[in-house]
Amino acid sequence: RACYCNICRPATFVLAPDGPELHFIDLDLDVLVWPDGSCVVTDEDDFAENSVRYAYPEDIQVAAREAVESLLA
């Protein structure tokens, strides 16, 4: 079974009427780490498409790629 690493914007806590909520924005990229140590990056096509569709700022795109690289190191 793989460990699933979701690349996202930093989470924030919001005090909602029904209690605290955790909000985050998923940046599409994911890294799967298998028990043998091998890794697979998924959803790179979604990241590329959504970077344009939702106008991800350049610094966010760079940070997402750096997060992937740090997981692969």
Side-chain angles (χ1 to χ4, degrees):
R1 188 175 204 167
C3 176
Y4 187 90
C5 305
N6 184 45
I7 307 301
C8 62
R9 296 285 311 267
T12 58
F13 285 103
V14 176
L15 293 176
D18 292 332
E21 298 176 348
L22 181 65
H23 291 199
F24 68 95
I25 298 172
D26 185 340
L27 294 175
D28 312 304
L29 293 170
D30 303 297
V31 177
L32 300 177
V33 182
W34 295 98
D36 68 0
S38 63
C39 299
V40 177
V41 179
T42 65
D43 300 326
E44 291 185 88
D45 54 339
D46 293 334
F47 179 72
E49 290 173 19
N50 288 335
S51 291
V52 174
R53 179 181 295 140
Y54 299 115
Y56 295 167
E58 184 67 26
D59 63 321
I60 297 302
Q61 293 180 52
V62 168
R65 291 280 179 205
E66 288 175 348
V68 168
E69 291 305 316
S70 71
L71 288 167
L72 297 176

